[in-house]
Amino acid sequence: MRSGFGFDLRSLEIFVATLERGSQSAAAESLGLKQSSVSQSLANLEEALGVCLLDRRSRPLEPTTAGRFLYDRARRLLEEARGTRGELISGSFGKLHQVRLALVDSLATAVGRPLIAVIKRHTRDYTLTTGLSHMHGHALMTRHVDIIISDDRLEDYDGLERHPILAEPFVLVLPASWDGPADNLRWLARRLDFVRYAPQSLIGQAIERHLRLNRLELPARLHLDNTFAVLRLVDAGVGWTLTTPLCLHQAGLSGLRVAPLPIPALRRQLTLVSRRDELGGLPSQLARDARRLLEGDFLAELRRRHAWVAEAITIPR
Amino acid sequence: MRSGFGFDLRSLEIFVATLERGSQSAAAESLGLKQSSVSQSLANLEEALGVCLLDRRSRPLEPTTAGRFLYDRARRLLEEARGTRGELISGSFGKLHQVRLALVDSLATAVGRPLIAVIKRHTRDYTLTTGLSHMHGHALMTRHVDIIISDDRLEDYDGLERHPILAEPFVLVLPASWDGPADNLRWLARRLDFVRYAPQSLIGQAIERHLRLNRLELPARLHLDNTFAVLRLVDAGVGWTLTTPLCLHQAGLSGLRVAPLPIPALRRQLTLVSRRDELGGLPSQLARDARRLLEGDFLAELRRRHAWVAEAITIPR
DNA sequence: GACGACTATCGAAAAAATCGATACTGCCCC
DNA sequence: GGGGCAGTATCGATTTTTTCGATAGTCGTC
């Protein structure tokens, strides 16, 4: 047995049959083996696991505590293996057990929970992770996740399907207490610190690149790796930052002052990306639902609070 | 691979690694194999399952629909195998996945649902079956069930633990419309048919044996294999029968006339039986709960309705 | 203490998994 | 359009694992 588990399906079959038939000889017969093979297999199993599984003295054979436990798990594993085989050869595939979804933080807070509800209708189990966007692409390609929604469209890769979710402009965010002008970043940066996103994050990179393009060299004092931390500092009056309406929504800090960028516009696009044709209609459905949720929840509130920002947001379809 | 599944844990490992690494060569390296072995294993897998799993043309390698499905199941199987191994070698056994309980019909209706709640606190999953008692003993010994509650104490077998649940007398049951005497079965049987339990059932056998012992030869016209059918006929005025208070309670036919046996008493004992020391405290706890439920529900109602019968019932502890 | 029913052990045989070598495929690039 | 490249398939040889047959050991029963 080459697998590193200490057992494989065959040895579990033998073990289970032995307990159910009550003797090695009976198990051997029921499996079309000889008793010696059963004995060997059981000995190997105990050897490989380093655990005693059977009390050989009693008749019918009885499991030890560990054996009783393995019996339970083995039955389950074998049952699932049988089911899998059946579904495979009949071609009638059931629900997937697990769909793994990775979201940018800002979306996770806004629409994570309702999206999970949608996923649940398609699979038995799911995982949802958040994290830095540039990790998501890699995770998708190595199959550590199945679906990502982030600002990375992974244009370099083939075999993917992409569903745009949201395009939003970056805005300038200032402490509520700041009542000075907000139309010159260079000038602003001399009175109030620029609170930056850490350069590992895609959002941070996008901002830095845009600032460079617009020939703004601003002092690098504060680098924080998540939106909440960034906005918390701004809220505390420490400085100002650039971010997007969705991030603002996520942080839930309603007291901040929001102004248009005093430099050419920068936008980010959130896109749902998955491996093409692997999950049927689930990705497009999730995309549709994510848009609907953003529309109803986030955008509606934004219209009330900062109508001019809401104008600039695009939710496709 | 000797198991009849078309795959084993090893081939699943290889398949999963191939998809996750995106190529056979990479998978081979990650598993310490050569590419040719991976190719072989995948070919065997497809051969054994009779299904194409991979689209070999695309880079990184992509699964077919069947392949995507198998990937999902395989990850799960491997995950469970890993978990099982971990729990086994660390000795810290988790919950059992499944405990299988078999009850005599009459108990199932009376206390089945609350008992399930108790089981749920001890295992992830459970099954409950009912059926003829004499099947239960066999099922227990062949590990098709873990716990039985029936009128068969399986005295012939060792290695079992037994917890008495209830002892109850048989009673004579007549149609409500019958207002004649109920103190002579032979006489009764000439006016009204004796509705029997099928001789396959343990309860039927017990009754027949008792009648023989008391030299009663009654005509064999009606043989029904479950309490509900038996009592339904009695209720319809077709005949009379012998049964127990719990069976009466189960059938829920409140209009029937109940009388003491006009022959020496016959009792049945319901006992919870399980393989000794396999399930820790669960059997005794279930027994305790079953008694409590019978006491509170069944016996309390019986006291109101037929106090003289309630007297004759014993619930231990 | 012989018998029967079962299990352990061991070398041989059979069946796998794996390897090494090599041929094949599709793609990119000049 | 042909060579290089990265990956895959195939095949005989090799190693490892599984199974077998034979035999010896164990335990309980009569």
Side-chain angles (χ1 to χ4, degrees), chain A residues 5 19 49 63 68 71-73 75-76 80 85 87 89 95 97-98 100 143 146 278, chain B residues 5 19 49 63 68 71-73 75-76 80 85 87 89 95 97-98 100 143 146 278:
Chain A
F5 298 107
L19 277 179
L49 292 169
R68 179 60 177 84
Y71 172 73
D72 177 80
R73 299 299 152 114
R75 277 191 5 104
R76 183 184 171 85
E80 289 187 0
R85 172 185 168 76
E87 290 174 280
I89 65 182
K95 271 187 179 183
H97 277 122
Q98 195 173 51
R100 292 157 295 176
R143 293 184 176 273
D146 300 298
E278 275 198 20
Chain B
F5 297 107
L19 277 180
L49 292 169
R68 179 61 178 85
Y71 172 72
D72 177 79
R73 299 299 153 115
R75 280 193 0 107
R76 182 184 172 84
E80 290 187 1
R85 172 183 168 76
E87 290 174 281
I89 63 181
K95 273 187 178 183
H97 277 124
Q98 196 172 49
R100 292 157 295 176
R143 292 183 177 273
D146 301 298
E278 276 198 18

Side-chain angles (χ1 to χ4, degrees), chain A:
Chain A
M1 177 196 10
R2 258 18 199 252
S3 61
F5 298 107
F7 51 80
D8 62 14
L9 297 178
R10 182 58 166 171
S11 56
L12 293 184
E13 265 185 320
I14 294 175
F15 175 64
V16 166
T18 303
L19 277 179
E20 295 191 344
R21 307 317 243 234
S23 85
Q24 296 184 9
S25 337
E29 193 190 0
S30 80
L31 293 168
L33 292 177
K34 298 299 171 194
Q35 174 270 328
S36 61
S37 311
V38 172
S39 175
Q40 273 284 3
S41 174
L42 294 174
N44 291 342
L45 197 57
E46 290 181 319
E47 160 86 26
L49 292 169
V51 170
C52 178
L53 296 170
L54 292 172
D55 173 5
R56 260 87 163 177
R57 285 163 314 191
S58 58
R59 212 83 353 147
L61 242 39
E62 269 177 33
T64 61
T65 307
R68 179 60 177 84
F69 175 79
L70 181 60
Y71 172 73
D72 177 80
R73 299 299 152 114
R75 277 191 5 104
R76 183 184 171 85
L77 278 166
L78 294 173
E79 193 49 52
E80 289 187 0
R82 242 185 300 279
T84 298
R85 172 185 168 76
E87 290 174 280
L88 265 175
I89 65 182
S90 73
S92 57
F93 309 131
K95 271 187 179 183
L96 292 185
H97 277 122
Q98 195 173 51
V99 169
R100 292 157 295 176
L101 186 61
L103 303 184
V104 287
D105 294 327
S106 41
L107 255 184
T109 337
V111 301
R113 189 173 291 270
L115 276 195
I116 286 177
V118 177
I119 293 181
K120 269 188 173 165
R121 291 207 295 275
H122 289 260
T123 79
R124 303 233 184 105
D125 195 12
Y126 60 88
T127 67
L128 187 152
T129 60
T130 64
L132 304 176
S133 317
H134 72 289
M135 302 304 289
H136 291 167
H138 183 251
L140 184 67
M141 299 318 292
T142 57
R143 293 184 176 273
H144 288 88
V145 301
D146 300 298
I147 297 176
I148 67 178
I149 307 184
S150 78
D151 44 354
D152 185 353
R153 284 178 52 86
L154 299 174
E155 296 286 10
D156 295 346
Y157 298 96
D158 288 340
L160 300 178
E161 56 180 286
R162 300 182 180 79
H163 304 269
I165 301 292
L166 170 81
E168 57 177 354
F170 279 80
V171 291
L172 173 58
V173 181
L174 302 142
S177 57
W178 178 259
D179 50 6
D183 54 2
N184 185 327
L185 295 185
R186 220 180 303 259
W187 183 85
L188 192 62
R190 280 199 293 272
R191 345 258 129 176
L192 214 51
D193 276 330
F194 174 32
V195 186
R196 291 168 193 261
Y197 279 90
Q200 300 90 294
S201 64
L202 211 56
I203 193 171
Q205 286 164 23
I207 294 171
E208 301 300 323
R209 186 171 351 104
H210 194 63
L211 292 178
R212 260 198 317 282
L213 280 176
N214 288 279
R215 316 201 171 271
L216 280 164
E217 306 280 349
L218 304 178
R221 295 207 184 85
L222 299 161
H223 283 283
L224 302 176
D225 75 343
N226 71 81
T227 293
F228 195 70
V230 166
L231 292 179
R232 197 55 169 263
L233 275 191
V234 175
D235 193 45
V238 174
W240 56 274
T241 192
L242 304 183
T243 190
T244 72
L246 188 60
C247 291
L248 217 47
H249 176 75
Q250 167 210 10
L253 299 170
S254 50
L256 295 163
R257 177 173 164 197
V258 182
L261 280 202
I263 56 178
L266 169 65
R267 295 172 71 79
R268 78 162 179 175
Q269 281 192 16
L270 295 185
T271 310
L272 182 152
V273 186
S274 68
R275 294 180 298 271
R276 192 185 300 145
D277 297 333
E278 275 198 20
L279 299 170
L282 181 58
S284 68
Q285 184 171 352
L286 277 182
R288 205 159 41 238
D289 283 31
R291 288 184 209 113
R292 188 173 44 74
L293 291 165
L294 287 173
E295 186 90 48
D297 179 17
F298 157 66
L299 201 55
E301 188 190 322
L302 195 63
R303 280 207 190 89
R304 283 194 298 278
R305 202 187 289 274
H306 305 294
W308 61 270
V309 184
E311 296 285 294
I313 291 183
T314 322
I315 296 181
R317 286 288 230 120

Side-chain angles (χ1 to χ4, degrees), chain B residues 3 127 187 221 254 261 299:
Chain B
S3 61
T127 66
W187 182 86
R221 297 210 182 83
S254 50
L261 281 202
L299 201 55

Side-chain angles (χ1 to χ4, degrees), chain B residues 100-174:
Chain B
R100 292 157 295 176
L101 186 61
L103 303 183
V104 287
D105 294 327
S106 42
L107 254 185
T109 338
V111 299
R113 191 173 290 270
L115 276 194
I116 287 177
V118 177
I119 293 182
K120 268 189 175 165
R121 291 208 294 276
H122 289 259
T123 80
R124 302 234 184 105
D125 196 10
Y126 60 90
T127 66
L128 186 151
T129 59
T130 65
L132 304 177
S133 317
H134 72 288
M135 302 303 289
H136 291 168
H138 184 250
L140 184 67
M141 299 319 292
T142 57
R143 292 183 177 273
H144 287 88
V145 301
D146 301 298
I147 297 175
I148 66 178
I149 307 184
S150 78
D151 45 353
D152 185 351
R153 285 179 50 87
L154 300 173
E155 296 286 8
D156 295 346
Y157 298 96
D158 288 341
L160 299 177
E161 56 181 288
R162 301 181 179 81
H163 304 269
I165 301 291
L166 170 81
E168 56 177 355
F170 279 79
V171 292
L172 172 59
V173 180
L174 302 142

